[in-house]
Amino acid sequence: MKPKLLTTLKGYSREQLVKDITAGVIVSIIALPLSIAIAIASGVSPEKGLHTAIIAGFLISMLGGSRVQIGGPTGAFMVIVYGIATEFGIDGLIIATFLAGLIMILMGVLKLGSVIKFIPYPITTGFTSGIAVVIFSSQIKDFFGLKIGEVPAEFLEKWKIYFESFNTINLQATFIGIIALLIIVLWPKINRKVPGTLIALIVTAVIVRLLNLEVPTIGTKFGELSSALPSIQIPSITFDKVTLLIAPAFTIAILGSIESLLSAVVSDGMIGSKHRSNMELVAQGVANIASALFGGIPATGAIARTVANIKNGGRTPIAGMVHAVTLLLIMVLFMPLAKMIPLTSLAAVLIIVAYNMSEWREFKELFKSPKSDVIVLLVTFFITVLIDLVKAIEIGMVLAAFLFMKRMSEVSTVNITSLDASEENDEEFDFTKENKKIQTTEGIQIYEINGPFFFGAADKFLEAANNLGDKTKTLIIRMRNVPAMDATALHAFKRIINMCHHKNIKVLISGINEQPLNVLRKAELCDVIGNKNFFEGIEEAIEYANKNMANETSL
């Protein structure tokens, strides 16, 4: 594993340096309001969002496996971060982020980068859309300026409080929020270089200040903001804390891995490159550990910021590092001014983030998929919204695994054919290339297994064994269409072999593939069956069975 930075520096030109610096500065301007908004919505102070974007963003670019990945806090983490901070406090959040970093490093070292990509699409769409709904719901209070104390974390309770408190709406805050929304939506038609989110925050802050409106701001909620650099905070990790926080830490690690690798795949398609998934996971892990040590929140690859980096000419990790350094300068020089930003404007920013995350078109398209995929989608979505993201990923993965195994058992079949002297070979079995007729002796049965030989097919295999009558003298097991077999299938295989030996039925194996053959060898079944009883094709097996039966008859 090697960071992409080392690869891209070979032949690095001054022209590309200028492009990377330009892209990095522009992306930092995009990341500024998002980092502050995500931090506040996650239940931590605004500075922590910037600390995360600076520290984790720099390390993800410097150590990562993608040329153009931009790292930092993202909307996907808001739900899980808010839940951890509420239940376990800031110390619990730091420990969970630290543990998540270790898990991501371990996944990278174990080369699980490609495995992460195999998480079913209905699950990722379900929890992403669910997160979008939760983010939108969490911004209602600030957008309308509702006078509510502590908003419940539960989705239904939250909306119940909103409806009960809607008579406390702050019309001035709502007006400012609508202005911010309109600017964010319409500004790209005027200028695509400068992000609409930044313009919205500046314009609405100026309006609130000049008109002296009674609109809650960052300053009214958090007081003075510090522009000082964070100091290292070593978390006090105990076994009890690890036990409590390992589940949310695992969720952070999985979610961060999925989002970062998805971002890397998208960027690969845009620039014609190929990322190093395992190196990317290691970098994400290191970045999250560093973020935790400096009191930050979880970070991952941000798709929108990565795309903006590419569109503005960024082509190497230098752009991402410049983005982090620029954010550091902005924090040191202008952080105190951030207290003027209206909370309703930040809510407008996150409402747009929620809409972009919702993937409602993809969600709608998935209803055209098989029913099992729709079930996984809806279960994951509703558990994310109504319970929490940790349970959604756990239950979604288990449900998807069960449905996958059920589907595999449905596509795997066991066909039974009895052959005697009066029967001709069926073309379906393609016994010979010339399609010759092979005369067989009475008492030969063929079991053909089609598809992966897993537990579902193993059960069918055992049921088929009941068809072995007293007249059966030879059983040919045809396995040309079996790519793999598992322990359950192996157990069923052993039972069939033992039953055949008990009934003095000779077992022949035809057309077995490499993986199933290796499984039988390790289980020492090849010796039990006899190496001479393995054949490449069905015709050789039948011919051998005929001769064997003829010899026994002559005796």
Side-chain angles (χ1 to χ4, degrees):
M1 291 188 292
K2 185 167 69 170
K4 274 285 185 178
L5 177 64
L6 300 179
T7 305
T8 56
L9 287 179
K10 296 177 182 178
Y12 192 62
S13 65
R14 182 180 299 179
E15 180 184 1
Q16 187 56 55
L17 175 62
V18 173
K19 290 181 179 179
D20 285 338
I21 292 174
T22 303
V25 172
I26 293 173
V27 172
S28 70
I29 296 172
I30 296 172
L32 176 65
L34 289 173
S35 300
I36 293 173
I38 290 168
I40 293 173
S42 299
V44 299
S45 62
E47 302 100 321
K48 294 189 183 298
L50 285 179
H51 296 165
T52 304
I54 292 166
I55 297 166
F58 188 88
L59 291 172
I60 287 172
S61 294
M62 184 177 74
L63 301 176
S66 170
R67 295 175 65 98
V68 291
Q69 184 85 281
I70 300 295
T74 66
F77 281 131
M78 282 172 45
V79 179
I80 184 71
V81 171
Y82 182 82
I84 296 171
T86 302
E87 186 174 353
F88 302 103
I90 299 301
D91 286 344
L93 176 60
I94 290 173
I95 293 172
T97 306
F98 187 89
L99 292 174
L102 292 177
I103 293 171
M104 294 172 85
I105 291 175
L106 184 62
M107 288 193 295
V109 171
L110 295 177
K111 301 187 184 303
L112 298 178
S114 57
V115 176
I116 294 294
K117 300 173 189 176
F118 296 142
I119 291 180
Y121 182 61
I123 291 180
T124 58
T125 303
F127 73 65
T128 302
S129 299
I131 290 169
V133 171
V134 175
I135 291 174
F136 173 77
S137 301
S138 68
Q139 300 310 304
I140 299 300
K141 173 191 172 184
D142 287 339
F143 187 81
F144 291 104
L146 300 179
K147 295 178 181 177
I148 303 173
E150 193 68 28
V151 179
E154 294 79 12
F155 180 80
L156 296 178
E157 285 295 317
K158 187 180 297 181
W159 278 97
K160 181 182 177 183
I161 293 293
Y162 287 157
F163 285 121
E164 291 175 351
S165 306
F166 214 75
N167 60 334
T168 66
I169 185 173
N170 183 332
L171 294 177
Q172 293 182 354
T174 305
F175 175 70
I176 293 297
I178 292 172
I179 290 177
L181 272 179
L182 291 174
I183 292 174
I184 295 170
V185 173
L186 299 176
W187 180 258
K189 298 180 180 180
I190 301 171
N191 188 314
R192 288 188 172 274
K193 290 289 184 183
V194 181
T197 51
L198 182 65
I199 300 300
L201 297 186
I202 293 173
V203 170
T204 54
V206 170
I207 292 174
V208 170
R209 187 63 180 265
L210 290 179
L211 299 181
N212 197 26
L213 300 178
E214 293 185 6
V215 175
T217 63
I218 290 178
T220 60
K221 184 172 182 178
F222 294 98
E224 293 296 324
L225 302 178
S226 173
S227 59
L229 296 175
S231 57
I232 292 181
Q233 304 175 27
I234 305 297
S236 175
I237 301 177
T238 64
F239 180 77
D240 291 339
K241 289 180 180 179
V242 171
T243 303
L244 283 172
L245 294 165
I246 192 65
F250 183 76
T251 302
I252 291 172
I254 293 294
L255 190 59
S257 300
I258 293 171
E259 192 164 2
S260 64
L261 294 181
L262 177 60
S263 176
V265 169
V266 171
S267 64
D268 283 349
M270 294 180 70
I271 65 174
S273 180
K274 184 174 176 58
H275 73 279
R276 297 165 185 158
S277 56
N278 296 312
M279 188 68 241
E280 184 65 25
L281 288 182
V282 171
Q284 297 285 339
V286 172
N288 276 280
I289 290 174
S291 178
L293 292 177
F294 284 95
I297 59 178
T300 185
I303 297 177
R305 277 162 266 174
T306 299
V307 171
N309 178 35
I310 294 170
K311 288 184 176 179
N312 286 283
R315 289 295 181 275
T316 75
I318 297 295
M321 296 161 70
V322 169
H323 134 269
V325 173
T326 305
L327 278 176
L328 175 63
L329 294 175
I330 292 173
M331 184 188 76
V332 171
L333 298 174
F334 303 109
M335 192 62 184
L337 297 177
K339 67 180 182 181
M340 298 168 57
I341 298 174
L343 293 178
T344 183
S345 301
L346 290 175
V349 170
L350 291 177
I351 286 172
I352 297 297
V353 169
Y355 175 79
N356 292 334
M357 277 187 65
S358 66
E359 298 185 344
W360 64 269
R361 293 180 182 84
E362 290 83 356
F363 194 96
K364 180 181 174 183
E365 283 296 314
L366 274 171
F367 280 92
K368 300 176 183 178
S369 304
K371 288 182 180 179
S372 59
D373 290 328
V374 176
I375 291 172
V376 172
L377 171 72
L378 293 178
V379 168
T380 308
F381 173 79
F382 282 113
I383 292 178
T384 300
V385 173
L386 300 176
I387 303 177
D388 65 53
L389 182 60
V390 177
K391 292 287 188 296
I393 293 180
E394 290 174 352
I395 295 174
M397 288 296 291
V398 171
L399 182 59
F402 273 115
L403 290 173
F404 171 77
M405 290 186 287
K406 180 178 181 295
R407 198 174 296 167
M408 285 296 98
S409 68
E410 289 172 351
V411 300
S412 299
T413 61
V414 179
N415 297 327
I416 304 171
T417 300
S418 297
L419 300 177
D420 56 41
S422 65
E423 292 179 324
E424 296 178 355
N425 296 318
D426 194 329
E427 285 187 24
E428 179 185 352
F429 284 88
D430 187 27
F431 290 150
T432 64
K433 291 180 181 178
E434 296 83 9
N435 205 25
K436 294 186 294 186
K437 297 178 180 179
I438 300 177
Q439 295 296 322
T440 62
T441 309
E442 181 182 5
I444 298 175
Q445 275 203 341
I446 298 175
Y447 282 11
E448 180 169 24
I449 307 169
N450 293 297
F453 195 13
F454 297 150
F455 69 93
D459 187 56
K460 294 178 183 178
F461 189 51
L462 288 173
E463 287 180 9
N466 295 326
N467 292 310
L468 289 174
D470 295 334
K471 292 183 179 181
T472 303
K473 301 300 180 184
T474 302
L475 172 64
I476 301 175
I477 303 176
R478 196 178 194 196
M479 301 180 66
R480 60 172 181 168
N481 295 321
V482 179
M485 66 185 294
D486 65 2
T488 306
L490 177 64
H491 178 68
F493 215 91
K494 288 179 179 179
R495 289 178 61 181
I496 292 285
I497 299 302
N498 290 334
M499 183 179 65
C500 288
H501 282 189
H502 181 72
K503 293 184 176 182
N504 293 319
I505 298 173
K506 194 171 190 62
V507 177
L508 308 180
I509 308 295
S510 162
I512 189 168
N513 291 305
E514 185 176 354
Q515 195 274 350
L517 180 60
N518 288 333
V519 170
L520 295 184
R521 279 175 180 160
K522 288 182 180 179
E524 298 180 352
L525 274 182
C526 289
D527 295 332
V528 176
I529 297 169
N531 290 320
K532 66 177 183 178
N533 294 324
F534 285 79
F535 301 89
E536 289 188 8
I538 190 69
E539 65 207 54
E540 292 95 335
I542 292 176
E543 187 176 351
Y544 178 86
N546 286 335
K547 289 180 180 178
N548 189 64
M549 296 276 286
N551 291 336
E552 289 184 2
T553 303
S554 63
L555 293 174

